[in-house]
Amino acid sequence: MADFGATELDTFRTETRAWLEANYPPSLHAPMTEDDTPWGGRNARYSNPDIQLWMDRMAAKGWTAPMWPTQYGGGGLTKEQNKVLDQELRRLKARPALSSFGVWMLGPVLLEYATEEQKQKFLPGIIKGQIRWCQGYSEPGAGSDLAGLQTRCEDQGDHFLINGQKVWTSYADQADWIFCLVRTDTTKKHEGISFVLFDMTTAGVETRPIKLISGSSPFCETFFTDVKVPKEQLVGRLNGGWEIAKRLLQYERQNISAGGFGGVSGSDIADVAKSYVGEDSAGRIEDPDLRARIASHKMDQHAFTLTIRRAEAESKTGNGPSAATSIIKYAAAKLNQERTELLVESMGLQGLGWEGPQFKPEEKGAIRSMLRAKANSIEGGTSEVNLNVIAKRVLGLLDHQ
């Protein structure tokens, strides 16, 4: 699709704004809780049916994946149109229609590496939120050194047979399918890894949630015992999975950074501070030290948002995300940890509430978000690993013995 000129974009903006205002359910203007996250999937159950309604309406337009090709159900929008859509969604303060590992990570690599048959089979379901995906990467002995993974995938003639274990598999107990790195050649390290897809209801798949300090269990241990996988669910070439894995990690870091890591949904940190600490005669946060630190944080956050937009624009004019996503992911982790700590500090003792009627839901959510944020510098690539990537691949620094 050719880029629109100014007049055409104005028309697109007018039509988009009218459609969003007519189709966004009013009930979704309420702050979103973690339980309301629109993950999609065949077992999705939402307390508010409008969550599913909003997902279905946006998916029918292809706007859950607005720049994906229309032949797979995507929106087919240009870069300029997508920017307008994003601006109008922000103006409406609309919730995400679909929060999906399929959209953020798997879909982009399928568009790049999958066969046409695989694209036709999997991409429409991702866009519609019909299948919830999880990521089978890290193992107990292969975290930071992901290429050391040992989950075996053996050729059995008409199918693959998988045996092994994954860990920190986000929402594996709730996922429908998994995109998984497996070892298909034990004589090589990076060149012996393949990328496969399979149904989580396949015989031999077992998940065990891991309870975190925040009280939630988003991560799982995942076990594979003689799991049979059809050969046509291999993506890319046999033993060529490491290239796909690296590409997917770049998309993961880009989207973790752009989407944030959560927190108290819909809350502006300055407004929270004013409501708990109070305001001075000029309408500012009364505590000058807290006020200065919140102002500094908000400036950093704004600069980060502008950087994200620039990086997204650059990635769409070149060959997709680059190693620079490690910079963004590292900064995003620090910013979210700082934000959740400032929210708890602003609430004072009320921000330390764990249970009981004397604490509001957002107060109990604040301390849980702060504790959950401790994992931000680990998940999606540890901060230490990302700093190494930045040093070597972005700054071009070399080790000196």
Side-chain angles (χ1 to χ4, degrees):
M1 183 180 295
D3 287 353
F4 277 14
T7 302
E8 289 85 354
L9 272 180
D10 288 341
T11 300
F12 178 75
R13 183 183 297 276
T14 300
E15 294 173 348
T16 298
R17 180 175 297 183
W19 188 89
L20 291 175
E21 290 178 345
N23 285 277
Y24 187 68
S27 69
L28 299 190
H29 283 295
M32 187 173 74
T33 66
E34 185 176 349
D35 292 337
D36 287 339
T37 304
W39 291 113
R42 55 194 174 207
N43 298 312
R45 299 290 184 274
Y46 303 113
S47 58
N48 184 346
D50 284 345
I51 296 172
Q52 186 67 53
L53 177 64
W54 176 230
M55 184 189 302
D56 291 343
R57 287 176 174 176
M58 285 287 279
K61 295 278 286 186
W63 285 358
T64 52
M67 293 185 67
W68 289 13
T70 55
Q71 64 261 38
Y72 307 122
L77 301 187
T78 65
K79 178 178 64 178
E80 292 78 11
Q81 289 173 310
N82 185 57
K83 182 177 180 181
V84 168
L85 174 61
D86 181 63
Q87 290 171 342
E88 291 304 313
L89 286 167
R90 292 176 185 270
R91 187 193 67 82
L92 193 61
K93 296 182 179 178
R95 296 186 187 185
L98 177 62
S99 296
S100 166
F101 294 165
V103 170
W104 298 339
M105 296 184 280
L106 177 61
V109 298
L110 289 181
L111 285 168
E112 190 170 350
Y113 294 96
T115 64
E116 183 61 27
E117 182 180 0
Q118 290 171 333
K119 292 175 185 178
Q120 293 289 349
K121 178 178 180 179
F122 295 110
L123 291 176
I126 290 174
I127 292 167
K128 295 175 184 177
Q130 294 173 337
I131 302 296
R132 183 171 180 176
W133 291 84
C134 63
Q135 177 185 26
Y137 270 35
S138 295
E139 297 183 5
S144 297
D145 181 21
L146 179 59
L149 64 92
Q150 295 299 314
T151 294
R152 294 285 297 275
C153 177
E154 299 175 302
D155 189 334
Q156 298 294 307
D158 61 344
H159 66 273
F160 293 122
L161 193 67
I162 297 178
N163 285 277
Q165 178 185 355
K166 299 292 180 177
V167 74
W168 310 119
T169 318
S170 300
Y171 305 106
D173 58 328
Q174 302 173 44
D176 303 309
W177 279 63
I178 186 171
F179 47 96
C180 191
L181 290 181
V182 293
R183 182 156 299 285
T184 43
D185 187 338
T186 59
T187 66
K188 301 176 182 177
K189 188 173 182 180
H190 298 80
E191 296 81 9
I193 294 171
S194 295
F195 190 96
V196 296
L197 316 174
F198 55 94
D199 196 314
M200 291 292 283
T201 62
T202 306
V205 178
E206 178 189 359
T207 61
R208 299 177 191 172
I210 302 170
K211 191 169 184 178
L212 304 183
I213 190 175
S214 65
S216 63
S217 301
F219 302 121
C220 294
E221 295 178 288
T222 308
F223 301 89
F224 309 125
T225 305
D226 291 337
V227 176
K228 294 181 179 180
V229 175
K231 284 190 170 181
E232 60 267 23
Q233 288 165 203
L234 169 74
V235 178
R237 58 184 177 82
L238 188 69
N239 297 323
W242 185 245
E243 179 184 354
I244 301 175
K246 290 190 297 180
R247 194 62 154 176
L248 190 143
L249 283 173
Q250 289 178 335
Y251 283 113
E252 178 183 15
R253 289 165 186 170
Q254 173 179 286
N255 285 286
I256 282 177
S257 305
F261 294 93
V264 180
S265 178
S267 58
D268 180 85
I269 190 170
D271 291 340
V272 171
K274 288 178 182 179
S275 66
Y276 284 88
V277 178
E279 301 179 45
D280 64 13
S281 58
R284 303 173 301 183
I285 299 169
E286 193 163 20
D287 184 326
D289 176 65
L290 180 61
R291 180 172 71 233
R293 287 186 287 123
I294 289 177
S296 176
H297 172 77
K298 288 175 74 71
M299 287 189 288
D300 289 343
Q301 184 64 56
H302 182 64
F304 177 77
T305 300
L306 295 176
T307 303
I308 285 287
R309 292 177 184 172
R310 187 181 75 228
E312 288 176 342
E314 290 174 350
S315 72
K316 289 162 186 172
T317 59
N319 296 314
S322 68
T325 55
S326 293
I327 299 175
I328 299 171
K329 196 275 175 181
Y330 174 80
K334 292 198 68 173
L335 281 169
N336 195 57
Q337 289 172 345
E338 183 180 81
R339 178 180 183 272
T340 55
E341 290 168 3
L342 285 169
L343 279 168
V344 169
E345 181 181 350
S346 297
M347 292 179 178
L349 289 176
Q350 290 302 115
L352 299 177
W354 195 258
E355 58 185 6
Q358 68 271 37
F359 299 107
K360 301 176 183 177
E362 59 267 30
E363 293 169 346
K364 289 182 277 191
I367 185 62
R368 285 172 167 80
S369 293
M370 188 195 79
L371 292 171
R372 170 66 179 85
K374 300 304 180 185
N376 294 166
S377 50
I378 300 173
E379 59 197 330
T382 66
S383 290
E384 292 77 12
V385 168
N386 279 310
L387 286 173
N388 283 337
V389 172
I390 294 165
K392 294 178 180 179
R393 300 181 187 173
V394 179
L395 301 178
L397 302 179
L398 299 175
D399 294 332
H400 295 284
Q401 300 298 327

